[in-house]
Amino acid sequence: MDAERDQTPRSEKILTDLQDVYPRLSPQLRRAAHYLIDRPDEIAFTSMRQLAERANVQPATMVRLAQALGFDGYESLREPFRDALRRQPAGFGQRARKLLARTSRRRKGRALAQLANEMVASDRDNLSLSLEAIGSDELAEAAGVLAGARRIYVVGQRSLFPAAFYVHYACSMFREEMILMDGNGGTFADRLRGMTDADAMLVFSFEPYSRGAVEATEFAATRGAAIVAVTDSLVSPLSSLTKHMLLVGTDTPALFKSVVPVLSIAQVLVAQILAQGGQAALSSVAESEQQLETFGAYWTEADRVRVPDDAGDAGDDSPGVREDAASFDHKTEQRGS
Amino acid sequence: MDAERDQTPRSEKILTDLQDVYPRLSPQLRRAAHYLIDRPDEIAFTSMRQLAERANVQPATMVRLAQALGFDGYESLREPFRDALRRQPAGFGQRARKLLARTSRRRKGRALAQLANEMVASDRDNLSLSLEAIGSDELAEAAGVLAGARRIYVVGQRSLFPAAFYVHYACSMFREEMILMDGNGGTFADRLRGMTDADAMLVFSFEPYSRGAVEATEFAATRGAAIVAVTDSLVSPLSSLTKHMLLVGTDTPALFKSVVPVLSIAQVLVAQILAQGGQAALSSVAESEQQLETFGAYWTEADRVRVPDDAGDAGDDSPGVREDAASFDHKTEQRGS
DNA sequence: GAATGATTGAATCAGTTGTTTCATAGGGCT
DNA sequence: AGCCCTATGAAACAACTGATTCAATCATTC
């Protein structure tokens, strides 16, 4: 009884079993299992229906999943998770680490580990500081300017190209007339043609300020376009060109500056532009996603290689599927790959 | 560490409050309170009726006790105790839903400001959770694998292309044989030619997993290349293909998933690859930067626009900045430097 | 192309949930 | 005694719980 009290809670075993059985589950059951695997602790508190809703699954599917795992029903599946949570509120990370860790700890790893911790910690700090410094009002105003523009030109070079790309990509899901200023084939400046004062430019630039970004912004200023600049200093070359300047921090223990705060702000901008687009924007997103889906851009569960016989795909462990789960054996379907 | 960011859960406060109020309670309420004080964690899971039975009290008494403490009812009294046990920070999904409902209200600017705050807040949470979940040891090991490879193929599509681009860009500053898998001109797969088991692949992929990323990873696996996958689930299609899987969170109140944690991890990886490159890598960075500078890639102070005709003063320090920056004054002081 | 069987969605079930209501019981006060 | 007010118990409530059933759908095989 109390043999397994210390080490491995029953819930852990269930989760590993779940992963083993996963490839043999039906699509709908997979979706349920997927959610359960990602958020194991939810099941302890959440009711079947709520959980099903969050996993985009019929309520009954949760029961079926539980039964497929050899339990009587949802309630008995939930019990172990409650127990596990009751005795020790350990971190979600512990589990992932346990599952994946085959680490032989090195001495050298210590310094690296500390670097990792410090970098992430400073990103955390930067995030809150940046938003606080900018002020959400100003942010909303900048987003409003962008949302109201005819076209939005997005500029970001080198390490800030990711931010520009992200904004362009995300906004293109619900909005036309997004222009990303990449330098593909040396056509950087060409894109600026046709810019008017009805347009807006969103520019990301940190020190050292890349020439292209600055010049593009200057050009936009002469055309009378509204400019929103995400930059790192009040005396950045962009500051004299715009009323909407969003200052973000970049401090990090690492050699390169951190782009995390920029991307966070970029995401907020996108969300606010989206919000100002109203219902039309939302349905545009849905439409875009659906289009991508029918286009086959996404990998689907149907593409997963199914293992007909016993074979743990998770690795060399072969932790042994619980015998109750043997009820999957008859489901030996192999889909077209 | 700061993983214990809840220094004082609300549930603790409730318990001390309970003890304070205790003497003023009626006999029946005391009995209920007594049981609650002795077994505080029971309330998180047990139903009102069951709890009442164990405490030898009427079911309604539990409600009355909750109300006596200032809560709406048993449910709202239970919430803090559940939160305390919960591993993840309080309900992302819940917050998102609340936010969505709120957005439809008339005070739009208010909602936008709150959206910004909550997005950044959840990014913050995601950062620490992700690093904790991954574990710095594993992170260092993954970086070691990449650093030791002959070539590094970097894969990331759609919203995760920023991460791939960043890693490629940053690592190219100190390392050769970096290959970014962009789809420029439809040449996505072509880049994989020549991959051997001496190489490594760094792939970013979240749900919905883009087909190209998965297929590229599968190909790399057949070639025997080392694979480091940054993904969002233990049952992601990449999980069966690699030993080095780095799990990161993506929760955000906004419509799109957050890429911030991914980029943070990407930065850490870059820093660690750089660190393992030693002095040679460092000087490579310096060299690269210098080369960029002489190449004129960066804007310099000498390039600052002088105000030619209007508003007389054309001082070379920072003439145009002043008046525009006046509107930012209050922000400046908050931020410090 | 029809037949088969697994898989799914919707409706439905009895039981339980948290909460409210109401009537009774108790105890202090004039 | 009377009255008033709180405390308590019991019942009723609507909403929700987990679970079951059945028809429709899908993919596969003959």
Side-chain angles (χ1 to χ4, degrees):
Chain A
M1 273 304 193
D2 46 358
E4 55 186 352
R5 184 184 41 171
D6 297 353
Q7 279 281 0
T8 312
R10 274 186 300 160
S11 62
E12 300 285 347
K13 175 158 175 26
I14 295 174
L15 286 172
T16 55
D17 284 356
L18 206 48
Q19 287 181 64
D20 290 341
V21 177
Y22 189 85
R24 269 163 285 175
L25 291 174
S26 76
Q28 218 58 20
L29 287 184
R30 276 191 199 175
R31 213 191 286 181
H34 190 127
Y35 189 89
L36 203 58
I37 289 174
D38 287 350
R39 296 196 184 84
D41 38 332
E42 281 299 318
I43 192 180
F45 301 104
T46 319
S47 78
M48 189 181 78
R49 280 188 163 78
Q50 289 175 355
L51 203 67
E53 192 189 10
R54 291 186 211 169
N56 283 321
V57 157
Q58 285 264 352
T61 307
M62 297 309 298
V63 180
R64 289 173 180 140
L65 177 64
Q67 290 170 340
L69 287 170
F71 293 91
D72 286 347
Y74 184 77
E75 197 61 44
S76 33
L77 169 64
R78 170 152 65 178
E79 241 175 279
F81 288 91
R82 289 194 157 161
D83 282 356
L85 213 50
R86 207 188 303 257
R87 56 198 59 190
Q88 197 195 1
F92 156 77
Q94 199 174 3
R95 177 176 116 74
R97 222 174 304 141
K98 230 184 277 176
L99 284 174
L100 298 169
R102 294 150 192 159
T103 317
S104 53
R105 291 184 185 161
R106 305 175 183 173
R107 310 267 186 255
K108 184 181 175 185
R110 275 286 147 257
L112 287 181
Q114 190 169 356
L115 174 62
N117 280 319
E118 290 180 358
M119 284 181 68
V120 172
S122 59
D123 272 345
R124 270 178 53 107
D125 293 343
N126 274 336
L127 280 195
S128 5
L129 279 178
S130 297
L131 183 59
E132 198 184 335
I134 293 174
S136 21
D137 294 336
E138 186 133 0
L139 200 48
E141 197 180 310
V145 169
L146 292 175
R150 187 188 61 158
R151 284 190 197 143
I152 302 181
Y153 293 80
V154 192
V155 183
Q157 298 208 302
R158 313 201 155 275
S159 67
L160 289 179
F161 179 69
F165 180 92
Y166 176 84
V167 171
H168 173 80
Y169 169 74
C171 285
S172 294
M173 300 281 270
F174 59 87
R175 195 183 193 287
E176 296 185 346
E177 303 282 3
M178 295 292 307
I179 297 179
L180 177 63
M181 306 279 297
D182 54 6
N184 258 348
T187 62
F188 186 80
D190 303 30
R191 313 243 163 157
L192 290 171
R193 216 173 294 141
M195 176 183 256
T196 75
D197 60 355
D199 301 328
M201 172 175 279
L202 172 61
V203 53
F204 300 90
S205 187
F206 285 8
E207 197 192 4
Y209 310 101
S210 87
R211 183 174 297 273
V214 176
E215 288 175 354
T217 311
E218 284 168 349
F219 179 82
T222 67
R223 285 294 177 102
I227 296 173
V228 174
V230 180
T231 185
D232 63 343
S233 166
L234 279 173
V235 292
S236 115
L238 305 178
S239 61
S240 58
L241 299 171
T242 174
K243 284 185 304 184
H244 302 286
M245 198 167 70
L246 309 178
L247 283 181
V248 303
T250 60
D251 293 331
T252 175
L255 187 59
F256 303 111
K257 298 192 173 187
S258 175
V259 300
V260 164
V262 196
L263 259 116
S264 190
I265 295 301
Q267 286 184 166
V268 173
L269 279 175
V270 169
Q272 299 200 338
I273 296 174
L274 174 62
Q276 301 197 13
Q279 192 56 46
L282 281 178
S283 41
S284 285
V285 173
E287 200 178 323
S288 300
E289 298 239 316
Q290 195 182 358
Q291 185 187 355
L292 282 171
E293 210 166 317
T294 60
F295 202 70
Y298 295 137
W299 177 94
T300 68
E301 278 294 334
D303 295 323
R304 191 183 288 273
V305 269
R306 289 211 176 184
V307 257
D309 296 336
D310 60 338
D313 63 320
D316 41 6
D317 296 350
S318 75
V321 184
R322 61 158 43 203
E323 50 197 33
D324 305 299
S327 54
F328 296 107
D329 287 359
H330 58 282
K331 304 173 187 174
T332 54
E333 42 173 316
Q334 53 266 25
R335 299 204 177 173
S337 59
Chain B
M1 319 295 179
D2 46 7
E4 314 283 345
R5 87 194 79 79
D6 302 331
Q7 58 270 43
T8 312
R10 274 188 299 162
S11 60
E12 294 289 342
K13 178 164 172 23
I14 296 175
L15 286 174
T16 58
D17 283 359
L18 205 47
Q19 292 180 52
D20 289 344
V21 184
Y22 191 84
R24 280 183 289 262
L25 292 176
S26 77
Q28 284 308 102
L29 287 186
R30 276 193 203 177
R31 209 190 290 183
H34 186 103
Y35 189 87
L36 201 59
I37 291 174
D38 287 351
R39 269 170 285 257
D41 37 339
E42 282 299 319
I43 192 180
F45 301 103
T46 320
S47 80
M48 191 182 77
R49 281 186 162 80
Q50 290 174 357
L51 203 67
E53 193 188 10
R54 289 186 214 170
N56 283 319
V57 159
Q58 283 265 354
T61 307
M62 298 309 299
V63 179
R64 288 171 180 141
L65 177 63
Q67 290 169 342
L69 287 171
F71 292 92
D72 284 347
Y74 184 75
E75 196 62 45
S76 33
L77 168 64
R78 171 151 64 178
E79 225 175 300
F81 288 91
R82 289 194 158 164
D83 281 355
L85 278 183
R86 211 183 290 263
R87 296 165 174 178
Q88 264 184 338
F92 283 127
Q94 207 175 6
R95 231 176 358 174
R97 231 169 300 124
K98 270 185 203 163
L99 185 89
L100 259 178
R102 216 180 299 126
T103 318
S104 56
R105 287 186 184 174
R106 41 196 166 138
R107 303 252 348 186
K108 202 158 199 173
R110 206 83 178 94
L112 284 183
Q114 189 158 4
L115 174 64
N117 281 318
E118 297 194 0
M119 282 180 70
V120 172
S122 56
D123 272 344
R124 270 180 53 106
D125 290 343
N126 274 336
L127 281 194
S128 14
L129 276 175
S130 296
L131 183 60
E132 187 194 351
I134 292 173
S136 15
D137 292 337
E138 185 127 4
L139 200 47
E141 196 181 311
V145 169
L146 292 175
R150 185 188 62 156
R151 283 190 200 145
I152 302 181
Y153 293 78
V154 191
V155 183
Q157 298 206 301
R158 313 202 156 271
S159 65
L160 289 179
F161 178 70
F165 180 92
Y166 176 85
V167 171
H168 174 79
Y169 168 74
C171 285
S172 295
M173 300 283 270
F174 59 88
R175 195 184 193 286
E176 296 184 346
E177 303 282 4
M178 296 292 307
I179 297 179
L180 176 63
M181 306 276 298
D182 54 6
N184 258 349
T187 62
F188 187 80
D190 302 29
R191 315 242 161 157
L192 290 171
R193 217 175 291 140
M195 177 181 256
T196 76
D197 60 356
D199 302 328
M201 173 174 280
L202 172 60
V203 51
F204 299 91
S205 187
F206 284 10
E207 200 189 6
Y209 311 102
S210 84
R211 185 175 295 274
V214 176
E215 288 175 355
T217 311
E218 283 169 349
F219 178 82
T222 66
R223 286 295 177 100
I227 295 173
V228 174
V230 179
T231 185
D232 63 343
S233 170
L234 281 171
V235 290
S236 116
L238 305 177
S239 62
S240 57
L241 299 170
T242 175
K243 282 186 304 184
H244 300 101
M245 198 166 72
L246 309 178
L247 282 183
V248 302
T250 60
D251 290 328
T252 174
L255 187 59
F256 302 112
K257 298 192 172 187
S258 176
V259 300
V260 163
V262 196
L263 259 116
S264 189
I265 295 303
Q267 287 185 167
V268 172
L269 278 175
V270 169
Q272 298 199 339
I273 296 174
L274 174 61
Q276 300 197 14
Q279 193 55 45
L282 282 179
S283 41
S284 285
V285 173
E287 197 177 324
S288 300
E289 297 243 316
Q290 193 181 359
Q291 183 188 354
L292 281 171
E293 212 165 316
T294 60
F295 203 69
Y298 295 137
W299 176 93
T300 67
E301 277 295 331
D303 295 323
R304 194 180 284 276
V305 245
R306 312 207 167 186
V307 200
D309 22 314
D310 84 300
D313 183 5
D316 45 12
D317 277 342
S318 51
V321 177
R322 261 317 180 195
E323 48 187 12
D324 285 336
S327 51
F328 301 110
D329 279 356
H330 51 293
K331 301 291 187 310
T332 318
E333 314 186 83
Q334 281 181 10
R335 206 180 137 58
S337 67

